[in-house]
């Protein structure tokens, strides 16, 4: 715990080791499902970048990658509802197998709006892999096709996830001390 940012952490929820094991498991499941297929892995910036970089190295299939940036949150921790596209895909996804790589499904609004929008571009298939899932917070009916961990309704940071752009470099998934976002 030498990183000073850990002073702002209430507790570690998922360790570096548990994350590595789960990413390997998700990679194996995806490899099996797409064995003879080409697949476009879409990194949803910025929260997914750490998960994405580990996941693509655990997949044994013919993958290509792209990135997209969408926003449904401001600097704080409360949802605003609608998704906004900040950076669109560079690739044409028509007739492509597409897997969206997300850090966390919370209210579900981001993934619901995004999958609806991407479906209109006629991909061959469209799936979601989400490292984390907070089903108790859901406002719309949407599920990840591959989910790493179901977690309770607590605000988490680390392994790419942020609070006001901070804490993304922590190696574990951590529950942020409420005093940090309540001040
Ligand atoms: P949704 O549209 O409510 O499902 O929000 C999904 C997005 O909110 C995620 O991609 C995250 O960027 C952000 N988010 C939701 N919960 C957390 C959390 O506990 N920590 C950090 N970011 C979160
Ligand atoms: Mg996100």
């Amino acid at each position: 715990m030498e990183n000073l940012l850990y002073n702002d952490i209430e507790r570690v929820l998922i360790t570096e080791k548990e994350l590595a094991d789960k990413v390997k498991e998700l990679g194996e499941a995806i490899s099996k499902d797409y064995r003879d297929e080409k697949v476009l892995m879409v990194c949803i910036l910025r929260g997914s970048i750490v998960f994405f970089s580990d996941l693509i190295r655990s997949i044994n299939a013919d993958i290509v990658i792209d990135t997209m940036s969408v926003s449904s949150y401001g600097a704080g921790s409360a949802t605003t509802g609608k998704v906004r596209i900040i950076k669109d895909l560079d690739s044409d996804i028509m007739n492509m197998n597409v897997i969206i790589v997300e850090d966390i499904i919370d209210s579900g609004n981001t993934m619901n709006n995004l999958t609806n929008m991407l479906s209109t571009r006629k991909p061959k298939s469209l799936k979601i892999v989400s490292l984390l899932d907070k089903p108790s917070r859901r406002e719309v009916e949407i599920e990840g096709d591959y989910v790493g961990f179901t977690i309770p309704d607590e605000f988490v940071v680390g392994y790419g996830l942020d609070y006001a752009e901070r804490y993304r470099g922590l190696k574990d998934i951590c529950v942020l001390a409420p005093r940090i976002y309540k001040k």
Side-chain angles (χ1 to χ4, degrees), residues 73 76-77 134 152-157 162-164 174-177 181:
Y73 277 61
S77 62
K134 275 188 205 170
D153 180 12
E154 287 181 292
F155 198 81
V156 292
V157 295
D162 74 306
Y163 171 69
C174 306
V175 176
L176 193 61
Y181 52 84

Side-chain angles (χ1 to χ4, degrees), residues 44 47-48 72-73 77 79 81 102-111 132 134 137-139 151 154-157 161-163 168:
I44 303 300
S48 303
S72 61
Y73 277 61
S77 62
T79 185
E102 176 64 310
D103 52 358
I104 183 166
I105 305 178
D106 187 39
S107 71
N109 287 310
T110 307
M111 280 303 103
L132 305 174
K134 275 188 205 170
R137 297 253 312 164
R138 208 68 99 245
E139 291 168 11
I151 64 166
E154 287 181 292
F155 198 81
V156 292
V157 295
L161 287 96
D162 74 306
Y163 171 69
R168 293 193 196 272

Side-chain angles (χ1 to χ4, degrees), residues 57-145:
R57 286 176 290 173
S58 75
I59 296 173
N60 181 11
D62 188 9
I63 65 154
V64 288
I65 69 170
D66 203 343
T67 62
M68 195 167 184
S69 181
V70 295
S71 152
S72 61
Y73 277 61
S77 62
T79 185
T80 52
K82 199 93 186 136
V83 75
R84 191 160 56 96
I85 295 185
I86 297 158
K87 182 217 167 277
D88 206 338
L89 294 169
D90 296 320
S91 342
D92 181 2
I93 62 170
M94 190 185 269
N95 298 324
M96 291 284 290
N97 293 305
V98 177
I99 301 182
I100 301 168
V101 183
E102 176 64 310
D103 52 358
I104 183 166
I105 305 178
D106 187 39
S107 71
N109 287 310
T110 307
M111 280 303 103
N112 189 48
N113 290 321
L114 186 61
T115 50
N116 285 341
M117 194 277 287
L118 291 179
S119 297
T120 65
R121 301 182 188 180
K122 308 274 180 250
K124 182 176 175 189
S125 66
L126 182 61
K127 295 257 160 98
I128 299 169
V129 52
S130 185
L131 178 66
L132 305 174
D133 186 12
K134 275 188 205 170
S136 62
R137 297 253 312 164
R138 208 68 99 245
E139 291 168 11
V140 288
E141 244 181 77
I142 183 110
E143 297 302 328
D145 299 283

Side-chain angles (χ1 to χ4, degrees), residues 6-10 176-183:
Y6 276 99
N7 292 334
D8 297 349
I9 295 313
E10 188 168 86
L176 193 61
R179 66 182 158 79
I180 301 299
Y181 52 84
K182 281 184 181 146
K183 70 186 171 195

